[in-house]
Amino acid sequence: MHALIAFALISSAQPAPAWLAGDWEPYSNAFMGLRILSIGKETLTWKGCTDAHFEVIDAGANTVTLRLAKGSTCSLDDAPATRMDTVRFTLRENGCDLGVSVYASPEAATRQEPAAEGLYGKSKCPSGPVGQAAANLSTTPR
C-alpha cells in the first residue's frame, strides 16, 4: 500500500517549466559567490550543492517556487551560512533575466521574507549582464 501512495505522490508532482532549465549566471552581488546556477528537470546545482533534488510547489506562466529536499547542502554564501529551503524564480519579460528569491524556511516564504534576492541571466541572451538590470532588484543578503 505504501508503494502505491508514493507512486501517486510522484505522479502528481508538477514538473519545472521548460524556461527554467539550463545554466544561469549571477548578475547581482548577492549571488556572485554562488557562481553559476544549473537547473535540470528535478535537480539544481549551485556552489556547495550538487544535484540537489527539489519539488515544484507552485508554478505560473513566468514564476516557479521550488522546495529543496531536506538533505540538500544548498546554502547562501554568508556567515554563518543560511540554508536554502525555498527558492522562487521569476522570468522577466525579455526571457533572459531571472529574478531569484531565496528563503530559509517555508514560513519565511509565506511571509515574503527572503534571506537574499538577486538577478541571474542567460549568457547567450542579447541583454547579457547589464548593470542597470540588477539595479531594480535588491542585491544585498539580509
Side-chain angles (χ1 to χ4, degrees), residues 101-117:
S101 299
V102 176
Y103 301 89
S105 68
E107 296 79 22
T110 300
R111 293 188 310 265
Q112 300 294 319
E113 295 176 351
E117 291 183 299

Side-chain angles (χ1 to χ4, degrees), residues 18 26 59 72-73 88 93 103 105 127-128 133:
S72 80
T73 58
R88 183 167 298 129
E93 284 184 31
Y103 301 89
S105 68
S127 67

Side-chain angles (χ1 to χ4, degrees), residues 54-118:
F54 62 77
E55 77 173 292
V56 176
I57 57 173
D58 187 36
N62 67 338
T63 302
V64 62
T65 304
L66 310 177
R67 175 133 326 117
L68 299 176
K70 294 270 185 224
S72 80
T73 58
C74 298
S75 62
L76 292 173
D77 200 26
D78 54 357
T82 303
R83 183 185 178 280
M84 294 181 193
D85 176 85
T86 304
V87 185
R88 183 167 298 129
F89 300 104
T90 304
L91 185 66
R92 298 237 173 137
E93 284 184 31
N94 64 8
C96 292
D97 299 330
L98 188 68
V100 179
S101 299
V102 176
Y103 301 89
S105 68
E107 296 79 22
T110 300
R111 293 188 310 265
Q112 300 294 319
E113 295 176 351
E117 291 183 299

